């Protein structure tokens, strides 16, 4: 058997299709697009589509369009347009000057509809929505012909023009494709192409009172823009014959090809726009960018990076089979991205004061501490130390269980990068809460090492009280009560009452000038970023991105 050092490159099924199209000359230059409807904010599933479409265009030296499918003005807002543009740019999908809107093509779509009428492929119907549904039939029963199906071309042209001129009320008339009412594919049973809707559009104002349906608009937009591969999710697979029918009816020189892939599903996570919208409206979350959501803006605000989301999409894979990814894998990706990039500092999240009784009262010394043990290039910092410090409440127990190696009466521990200290006493308030701990230190144990060789098993982090920076720290857990599942019988989200815990904490002075999105690893606690909305120079607010503990195991390659 011949030896080879050539690395085998694994291709997903979409790449195989594109490779074949290029090889056979069916296309010369790849063109992809991401076509969101501006009726809400994007979430992690959209990130997969953005990264897939942009990644393919970049991989093959093609073009990538961002195009808004703004054909339903009842739900669309400029707010959503602006948010989506920001999200796509943040993810690194560069659309340069290739920003388009379906509404850019309303005139062309109208003209295409007129052509279909002239060719006997479309007609105006007077049936209302319920009647159209009844005539359409079921999966087991063929549909019945619309009683207006055989109107003359002239009458259809006249009625369609009158629809455009605003002579009919909403729902009074529609334009339908004339295809096949007995088709086994319900989508091909004379689908609606245009409906009357007297509503102002966020871009075209009151110019139009008829709007194209998505199944007519989308393939038309793709064809006009010269998209070669229209990559969409699996629920559009049954719509592909209609997509092809619309494209063929337009007589386009280089018609696009629709390819479907499996959506991004995350376990125990809310992604549906209508559910998120309700959570926002009910005040359960702090807007569409609440850090507990997996909206792209929420992930960004929480402190996730574009690189971590790209890695997550890569690990999730591209296939035709629906599957679920674990949120723990997304957490793994952000840990891996941040662990060598960000400096490490100490923070007392639930602080309790420690007084080192034999340390000089007026003395402050500075310890040289590496910023990241895994990345020497991040250098060192000077950490102040003195008589009074804060530690985390979890690092002290009055009556510890067996194998508890942190601070308790009579025990000696190491203060990270500083000295050995021994707990001698503590004080409680009237409610029995410990308010102060009293220790003595060993001056010869500077740097956390004892000259006499004695060992201590516990090492705890700390913050010097005199220079400590007050901060509000938000600890996030899953928004969903995972034991109950995402949705209840009423169709609402099962909310985890402990999804947010707000702490009043102290952090070492290294963070005092931190700005929005500045990110740190708080030693032994996790990764935290400065909140972009609520933080201020005199009131720092940190969001916990992710803890340091991971339950995710990388799959074997």
């Amino acid at each position: 058997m011949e030896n080879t050092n050539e690395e085998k490159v694994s291709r997903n099924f979409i790449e195989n299709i594109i490779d074949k199209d290029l090889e056979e000359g069916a296309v010369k230059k790849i063109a992809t697009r991401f076509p969101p409807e501006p009726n809400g904010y994007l979430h992690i599933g959209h990130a997969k589509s953005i990264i897939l479409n942009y990644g393919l265009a970049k991989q093959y030296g093609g073009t990538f369009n961002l195009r808004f499918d703004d054909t339903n003005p009842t739900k669309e807002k400029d707010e959503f347009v602006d948010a989506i543009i920001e999200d796509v740019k943040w993810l690194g999908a560069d659309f340069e000057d290739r920003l388009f809107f379906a509404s850019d093509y309303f005139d062309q779509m109208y003209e295409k509809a007129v052509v279909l009428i002239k060719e006997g492929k479309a007609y105006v119907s007077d049936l209302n929505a319920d009647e159209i549904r009844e005539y359409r039939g079921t999966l087991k029963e063929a549909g019945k012909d619309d009683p207006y199906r055989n109107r003359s071309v002239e009458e259809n042209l006249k009625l369609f023009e009158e629809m455009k001129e605003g002579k009919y009320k909403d729902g009074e008339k529609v334009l339908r494709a004339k295809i096949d009412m007995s088709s086994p594919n319900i989508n091909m049973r004379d689908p609606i192409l245009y409906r009357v809707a007297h509503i102002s559009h966020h871009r075209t104002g009151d110019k139009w009172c008829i709007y194209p349906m998505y199944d007519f608009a989308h393939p038309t937009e793709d064809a006009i823009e010269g998209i070669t591969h229209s990559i969409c999710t699996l629920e559009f697979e049954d719509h592909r014959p209609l997509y092809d029918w619309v494209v063929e009816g337009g007589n386009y020189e280089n018609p696009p090809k629709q390819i479907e892939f499996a959506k991004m599903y995350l376990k125990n996570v809310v992604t549906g726009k209508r559910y998120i919208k309700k959570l926002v409206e009910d005040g359960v979350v702090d807007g569409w960018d609440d850090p507990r959501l997996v909206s792209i803006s929420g992930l960004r605000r929480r402190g996730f990076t574009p690189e971590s989301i790209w890695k997550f999409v890569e690990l999730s894979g591209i296939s035709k089979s629906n599957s679920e990814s674990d949120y723990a894998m997304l957490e793994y990706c952000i840990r891996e991205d941040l662990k060598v990039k960000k400096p490490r500092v100490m923070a007392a999240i639930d602080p309790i004061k420690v007084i080192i009784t034999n340390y000089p009262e007026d003395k402050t010394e500075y310890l040289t501490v590496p910023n990241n043990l895994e990345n020497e290039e991040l250098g060192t910092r000077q950490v102040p130390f003195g008589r009074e410090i804060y530690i985390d409440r979890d690092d002290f127990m009055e009556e510890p269980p067996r194998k508890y190696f942190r601070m308790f009466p009579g025990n000696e521990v190491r203060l990270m990068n500083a000295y050995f200290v021994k707990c001698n006493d503590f004080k409680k308030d009237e409610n029995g809460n410990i308010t102060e701990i009293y220790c003595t230190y060993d001056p010869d144990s500077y740097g956390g090492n004892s000259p006499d060789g004695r060992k201590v098993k516990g090492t705890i982090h700390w913050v010097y009280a005199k220079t400590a920076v007050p901060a509000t720290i938000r600890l996030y857990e899953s928004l969903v009560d995972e034991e109950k599942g995402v949705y209840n019988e009423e169709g609402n989200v099962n909310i985890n009452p402990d999804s947010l815990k707000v702490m009043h904490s102290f952090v070492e002075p290294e963070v005092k000038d931190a700005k929005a999105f500045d990110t740190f690893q708080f030693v032994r606690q996790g990764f935290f970023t400065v909140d972009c909305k609520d933080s201020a120079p005199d009131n720092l607010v940190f969001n916990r991105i992710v803890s340091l503990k991971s339950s995710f195991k990388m799959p074997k390659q």
Side-chain angles (χ1 to χ4, degrees):
M1 184 175 181
E2 183 181 354
N3 291 325
T4 177
N5 292 324
E6 291 184 8
E7 183 180 350
K8 291 185 178 179
V9 179
S10 178
R11 314 286 282 176
N12 64 52
F13 77 97
I14 298 176
E15 290 171 321
N16 289 333
I17 292 171
I18 293 175
D19 289 343
K20 184 180 179 184
D21 287 344
L22 288 169
E23 184 180 340
E24 294 177 350
V27 296
K28 293 181 180 178
K29 186 175 182 180
I30 300 303
T32 63
R33 83 290 170 269
F34 174 63
E37 183 181 353
N39 62 356
Y41 282 59
L42 303 182
H43 56 66
I44 188 70
H46 297 111
K48 178 177 181 178
S49 183
I50 295 166
I51 289 169
L52 173 60
N53 279 281
Y54 174 70
L56 288 168
K58 188 175 181 182
Q59 176 183 339
Y60 288 96
T63 58
F64 169 77
N65 295 357
L66 172 60
R67 182 218 306 142
F68 288 94
D69 263 314
D70 55 344
T71 58
N72 187 6
T74 58
K75 298 181 179 180
E76 296 159 358
K77 297 179 182 179
D78 286 331
E79 172 197 350
F80 299 140
V81 171
D82 295 340
I84 289 169
I85 288 173
E86 184 180 1
D87 288 345
V88 174
K89 286 182 176 178
W90 177 75
L91 277 173
D94 183 6
F95 51 88
E96 298 177 354
D97 58 349
R98 305 188 67 82
L99 173 63
F100 303 103
F101 292 81
S103 52
D104 294 336
Y105 313 124
F106 279 172
D107 287 294
Q108 289 165 272
M109 290 180 197
Y110 179 81
E111 291 166 6
K112 292 294 179 185
V114 169
V115 170
L116 290 175
I117 293 172
K118 289 179 177 179
E119 293 177 350
K121 296 178 180 177
Y123 62 95
V124 174
S125 171
D126 296 359
L127 296 183
N128 62 36
D130 290 336
E131 290 169 333
I132 288 175
R133 195 176 300 112
E134 179 186 343
Y135 271 74
R136 185 179 291 134
T138 66
L139 292 173
K140 295 181 180 179
E141 296 179 0
K144 298 181 295 183
D145 280 358
D146 187 310
Y148 305 99
R149 198 173 195 264
N150 295 317
R151 275 176 164 155
S152 68
V153 169
E154 291 72 24
E155 185 180 6
N156 283 319
L157 288 172
K158 175 177 176 292
L159 291 172
F160 190 48
E161 178 70 21
E162 290 175 348
M163 287 169 62
K164 179 190 173 190
E165 291 172 351
K167 292 189 176 181
Y168 303 108
K169 298 176 183 178
D170 292 4
E172 193 172 348
K173 293 189 188 301
V174 295
L175 181 70
R176 299 183 71 177
K178 186 185 286 189
I179 306 179
D180 182 3
M181 290 303 295
S182 63
S183 172
N185 185 337
I186 289 182
N187 294 296
M188 299 298 282
R189 295 179 188 175
D190 290 12
I192 299 172
L193 303 181
Y194 266 87
R195 81 281 194 194
V196 177
H198 291 270
I199 185 167
S200 184
H201 189 278
H202 72 107
R203 293 187 75 242
T204 60
D206 297 322
K207 178 181 176 181
W208 296 91
C209 62
I210 58 170
Y211 292 98
M213 301 298 288
Y214 177 86
D215 277 338
F216 175 66
H218 184 71
T220 305
E221 297 151 23
D222 282 346
I224 290 171
E225 291 177 11
I227 300 303
T228 58
H229 297 84
S230 180
I231 300 165
C232 56
T233 45
L234 279 178
E235 71 263 33
F236 293 101
E237 189 169 26
D238 289 341
H239 295 246
R240 195 198 312 157
L242 178 54
Y243 182 99
D244 293 340
W245 184 90
V246 172
V247 170
E248 289 167 6
N251 298 313
Y252 295 100
E253 185 177 349
N254 297 301
K257 174 186 290 187
Q258 178 174 302
I259 305 171
E260 307 86 16
F261 69 97
K263 266 186 176 180
M264 168 83 73
Y265 288 101
L266 271 181
K267 296 177 184 175
N268 295 316
V269 166
V270 182
T271 54
K273 283 183 183 178
R274 67 186 180 94
Y275 293 105
I276 296 177
K277 185 172 183 283
K278 190 173 189 306
L279 292 174
V280 172
E281 291 174 347
D282 292 348
V284 176
V285 295
D286 176 28
W288 289 84
D289 62 349
D290 188 291
R292 290 167 292 178
L293 297 174
V294 291
S295 60
I296 296 177
S297 57
L299 291 168
R300 179 169 65 250
R301 182 179 173 192
R302 183 155 176 176
F304 280 78
T305 62
E307 294 84 355
S308 66
I309 295 175
W310 276 71
K311 183 65 176 178
F312 176 62
V313 170
E314 178 189 335
L315 290 176
S316 298
I318 306 298
S319 74
K320 293 277 283 189
S321 302
N322 284 323
S323 62
E324 281 190 320
S325 294
D326 200 314
Y327 188 82
M329 184 165 77
L330 180 59
E331 293 181 319
Y332 165 84
C333 292
I334 188 63
R335 284 191 196 96
E336 288 297 298
D337 186 49
L338 296 179
K339 69 179 182 181
V340 296
K341 289 182 179 179
K342 300 302 177 182
R344 299 175 184 179
V345 299
M346 294 184 286
I349 290 181
D350 185 8
I352 184 170
K353 182 173 280 190
V354 174
I355 300 172
I356 305 171
T357 57
N358 65 331
Y359 193 92
E361 289 190 27
D362 298 329
K363 180 181 177 182
T364 297
E365 63 179 304
Y366 290 86
L367 314 175
T368 301
V369 177
N371 285 323
N372 189 323
L373 291 171
E374 296 182 59
N375 184 357
E376 293 182 359
E377 292 182 3
L378 291 182
T380 61
R381 68 188 187 283
Q382 297 296 300
V383 179
F385 179 83
R387 177 184 173 88
E388 295 186 1
I389 61 173
Y390 293 109
I391 67 169
D392 262 304
R393 194 170 294 274
D394 286 347
D395 282 337
F396 176 83
M397 293 191 75
E398 181 181 356
E399 297 179 0
R402 192 167 170 268
K403 292 189 177 181
Y404 181 86
F405 298 122
R406 285 170 278 175
M407 190 176 286
F408 57 87
N411 190 43
E412 188 173 46
V413 298
R414 176 187 294 103
L415 296 179
M416 189 173 289
N417 302 302
Y419 297 96
F420 288 179
V421 295
K422 185 176 183 180
C423 176
N424 303 307
D425 201 0
F426 55 88
K427 184 169 72 175
K428 293 182 178 180
D429 62 17
E430 63 274 11
N431 297 317
N433 299 312
I434 295 169
T435 57
E436 288 183 348
I437 302 168
Y438 303 99
C439 295
T440 52
Y441 87 116
D442 178 358
D444 296 326
S445 62
Y446 178 81
N449 298 293
S450 176
D452 62 11
R454 72 180 186 277
K455 304 292 184 182
V456 297
K457 292 186 177 181
T459 299
I460 61 177
H461 58 279
W462 51 273
V463 178
Y464 181 37
K466 191 173 183 180
T467 59
V469 176
T472 299
I473 292 181
R474 295 166 173 167
L475 304 178
Y476 295 107
E477 300 294 343
S478 174
L479 181 63
V480 171
D481 186 330
E482 296 183 3
E483 290 186 3
K484 295 180 180 178
V486 180
Y487 306 111
N488 56 34
E489 292 179 358
E490 290 76 35
N492 297 318
V493 177
N494 289 315
I495 298 296
N496 171 16
D498 300 318
S499 64
L500 170 61
K501 190 173 184 180
V502 179
M503 308 296 294
H504 301 288
S505 313
F506 291 106
V507 189
E508 65 172 87
E510 188 71 11
V511 306
K512 67 179 184 301
D513 297 322
K515 299 176 180 61
F517 298 115
D518 284 352
T519 299
F520 304 86
Q521 183 188 135
F522 289 175
V523 174
R524 294 177 53 224
Q525 299 288 351
F527 292 96
F528 294 76
T529 195
V530 178
D531 187 79
C532 62
K533 284 177 72 172
D534 300 329
S535 191
D538 59 347
N539 182 29
L540 286 176
V541 178
F542 286 92
N543 300 327
R544 182 170 67 184
I545 308 168
V546 65
S547 67
L548 296 180
K549 294 180 181 179
S550 175
S551 60
F552 174 72
K553 302 294 183 184
M554 271 290 289
K556 292 182 179 179
Q557 299 296 319

